[in-house]
Amino acid sequence: MFVRLVYESFRRQKRRKLLAGAAITLGVTVATAMIAVATDIGDKINRELRTIGANLVVTPEEDSLDVEIGGVNLKPPTDGAFLNEADLPKILEIFWHNNITAFAPMLSANVKLQHGDQTIELAPLTGTYFAKKITYGNQSLTTGIHATFPTWKLDGAWPQDDSRDIVIDTALAEKLGLKPNDQLSISLFNSDAPARSVRVTGILSSDDEISGVWVPLALAQEILGEPGAVRRIVVSALTKPEDAFARRDPKSLSGAVYDRWYCSPYPQSIAFQLAEAIPHSRAEQIRRISQNEGTILTRIEGLIFLITVAALFASALAVSAAMATTMFERRAEVGLMKALGAGKLAVASIFFAEAALLALMGGALGFVLGTGLAHQIGHSIFSSDISIPPVLLPVILAIAVMVTFAGSAMAIRRAVSLDPVFALRGEL
């Protein structure tokens, strides 16, 4: 009898049920798309922001040490110590090595440039990798500034890492009258060492961060007379935005708490692992980039949450209006059931069963449509698919049921409270 009553309700009130179902479907569609995007947006945004550049930097540990006696800083006035190039492959052995998208070692010097009659007495030179394959055990990665800073613009070609070719920024190239394939003479500033002739293969767009001359790391080491030396390493890594737990000092943690911190892809934990892997080094965040990532992601997630709540709230209001109208039309039916002895619980169970069935049908359809919408958002904004975890389906169905019950509760409560006498006479 119970099943027949529910069935007849759907059969006789197709229009009302269709309107309520459409409201549920629309709300669940938006909720599904937004939740799917929110669960996958972290990596997507992180990868997009990685095009800005590196977010971690590794420097010699000695650079962070200050020796002060009697208020006088006795730290030597030099550029500091060096890291060992031979230790760079150890980056691929850290726990989060798969999150390291690229890195570039750097060795800087001041040099004198000469091309024909044009001379620049003091210019910055940086030795680095351009596209060098690094191997450690079974792990390998082709890396360099081309992968670490993919937005840099180059007119020409990147040098080979085993060549004596260079790239130079636009401002210096204009001063010297250089173009790709021209020869350039480079010598160390304030040094009697002989000049070296190199070939310009490309002109970098002028930018404060990429000013000067960029050469293969081996050539910079040769010019400086520091074989195997690296001044710093910039690292581009996929990270999780920091929170209060991420900012805890790992030295104060132990046991499972330390393992949780160490095995989370926070910028701090990846920097900690980099410092462990490279001897006598210190790793830290490039704060401006890392903090911007967290701020952007938090704001986008907040916007997604507000859109989801607004869609579900609108769906609940539409369901409430539809159910209120339905209950008004069925007041005589309610009065008859109560006159025949049905209690409030029995009457309410019929209506809640109808609402649950409507929620499950609307939720299932909304999940399918929301999945399609999420994929469309992924392709339009990130040019990639949004992954939909299977566990999202029961979550979405549960949300649909809760929203439908919330919208129906007031109308059902009023219906079960009707006096059968007045209800059968058509009075409220």
Side-chain angles (χ1 to χ4, degrees):
M1 188 64 180
F2 181 87
V3 174
R4 184 176 179 182
L5 287 173
V6 173
Y7 169 76
E8 288 295 327
S9 171
F10 276 85
R11 189 181 68 82
R12 291 185 289 108
Q13 291 188 316
K14 295 178 181 178
R15 184 180 177 185
R16 299 292 182 196
K17 293 295 188 290
L18 185 61
L19 290 174
I24 297 169
T25 299
L26 290 175
V28 170
T29 297
V30 175
T32 300
M34 292 298 100
I35 293 173
V37 170
T39 56
D40 202 38
I41 199 174
D43 287 344
K44 294 280 189 297
I45 290 181
N46 211 308
R47 290 185 184 278
E48 290 292 327
L49 292 175
R50 286 284 54 75
T51 61
I52 296 174
N55 55 345
L56 300 171
V57 61
V58 184
T59 55
E61 189 176 29
E62 290 85 344
D63 285 2
S64 63
L65 300 178
D66 288 325
V67 180
E68 190 172 294
I69 299 178
V72 179
N73 194 334
L74 301 180
K75 183 176 180 179
T78 67
D79 284 338
F82 297 105
L83 300 172
N84 192 343
E85 183 185 1
D87 293 325
L88 296 185
K90 295 179 181 178
I91 292 175
L92 301 182
E93 73 169 344
I94 70 171
F95 181 83
W96 286 108
H97 66 269
N98 288 327
N99 280 43
I100 303 296
T101 59
F103 65 86
M106 295 188 179
L107 180 64
S108 301
N110 291 320
V111 295
K112 176 182 177 181
L113 306 177
Q114 186 171 3
H115 174 63
D117 297 333
Q118 301 296 321
T119 301
I120 295 179
E121 293 291 340
L122 180 63
L125 175 144
T126 304
T128 187
Y129 290 161
F130 292 99
K132 190 176 182 68
K133 185 175 182 179
I134 303 296
T135 303
Y136 189 88
N138 296 326
Q139 305 293 330
S140 65
L141 178 68
T142 299
T143 188
I145 59 168
H146 184 37
T148 309
F149 302 96
T151 58
W152 286 10
K153 297 178 181 179
L154 182 72
D155 178 16
W158 294 103
Q160 298 294 318
D161 285 290
D162 57 354
S163 71
R164 300 180 74 81
D165 298 334
I166 70 164
V167 294
I168 188 170
D169 78 79
T170 305
L172 290 178
E174 290 177 352
K175 289 179 181 179
L176 294 169
L178 289 170
K179 59 184 182 298
N181 293 320
D182 283 349
Q183 296 293 316
L184 177 66
S185 178
I186 295 179
S187 58
L188 192 61
F189 178 69
N190 280 343
S191 172
D192 296 329
R196 291 166 175 79
S197 179
V198 297
R199 182 173 68 103
V200 177
T201 62
I203 310 297
L204 280 170
S205 298
S206 179
D207 190 285
D208 291 338
E209 294 184 357
I210 56 175
S211 62
V213 180
W214 293 78
V215 307
L217 181 60
L219 179 57
Q221 293 168 345
E222 179 185 326
I223 292 173
L224 276 172
E226 296 285 351
V230 172
R231 187 70 185 87
R232 68 186 185 279
I233 309 165
V234 291
V235 181
S236 181
L238 299 175
T239 60
K240 177 181 179 180
E242 65 178 26
D243 50 25
F245 181 67
R247 290 187 286 270
R248 296 184 63 178
D249 185 358
K251 296 179 181 178
S252 66
L253 307 177
S254 61
V257 178
Y258 173 81
D259 291 340
R260 177 188 162 203
W261 183 90
Y262 190 89
C263 296
S264 298
Y266 294 121
Q268 295 91 332
S269 60
I270 294 180
F272 182 80
Q273 292 168 29
L274 289 170
E276 283 184 322
I278 301 176
H280 311 296
S281 69
R282 179 174 182 265
E284 58 186 357
Q285 299 180 66
I286 300 176
R287 302 295 301 182
R288 175 177 57 84
I289 294 177
S290 294
Q291 288 176 343
N292 284 343
E293 290 176 9
T295 301
I296 291 172
L297 186 58
T298 299
R299 290 178 179 177
I300 291 178
E301 288 178 341
L303 177 62
I304 288 174
F305 175 76
L306 289 177
I307 293 173
T308 303
V309 171
L312 294 176
F313 182 71
S315 179
L317 288 179
V319 170
S320 178
M323 292 298 290
T325 304
T326 298
M327 294 306 162
F328 178 79
E329 294 175 349
R330 298 175 65 183
R331 62 190 184 281
E333 178 185 339
V334 173
L336 180 60
M337 286 190 290
K338 297 188 72 174
L340 294 174
K344 291 184 178 181
L345 182 60
V347 175
S349 64
I350 294 175
F351 293 120
F352 276 118
E354 293 177 10
L357 186 57
L358 194 62
L360 292 175
M361 291 189 295
L365 180 58
F367 178 81
V368 174
L369 297 177
T371 298
L373 179 59
H375 285 305
Q376 184 62 37
I377 292 173
H379 284 290
S380 299
I381 299 177
F382 302 108
S383 298
S384 63
D385 279 330
I386 297 290
S387 60
I388 310 294
V391 72
L392 187 58
L393 176 57
V395 171
I396 290 299
L397 293 179
I399 290 174
V401 171
M402 287 189 291
V403 168
T404 307
F405 279 8
S408 306
M410 184 62 69
I412 294 175
R413 182 172 177 273
R414 291 184 61 185
V416 299
S417 300
L418 287 175
D419 188 311
V421 176
F422 294 107
L424 288 171
R425 288 165 55 184
E427 301 176 7
L428 294 177

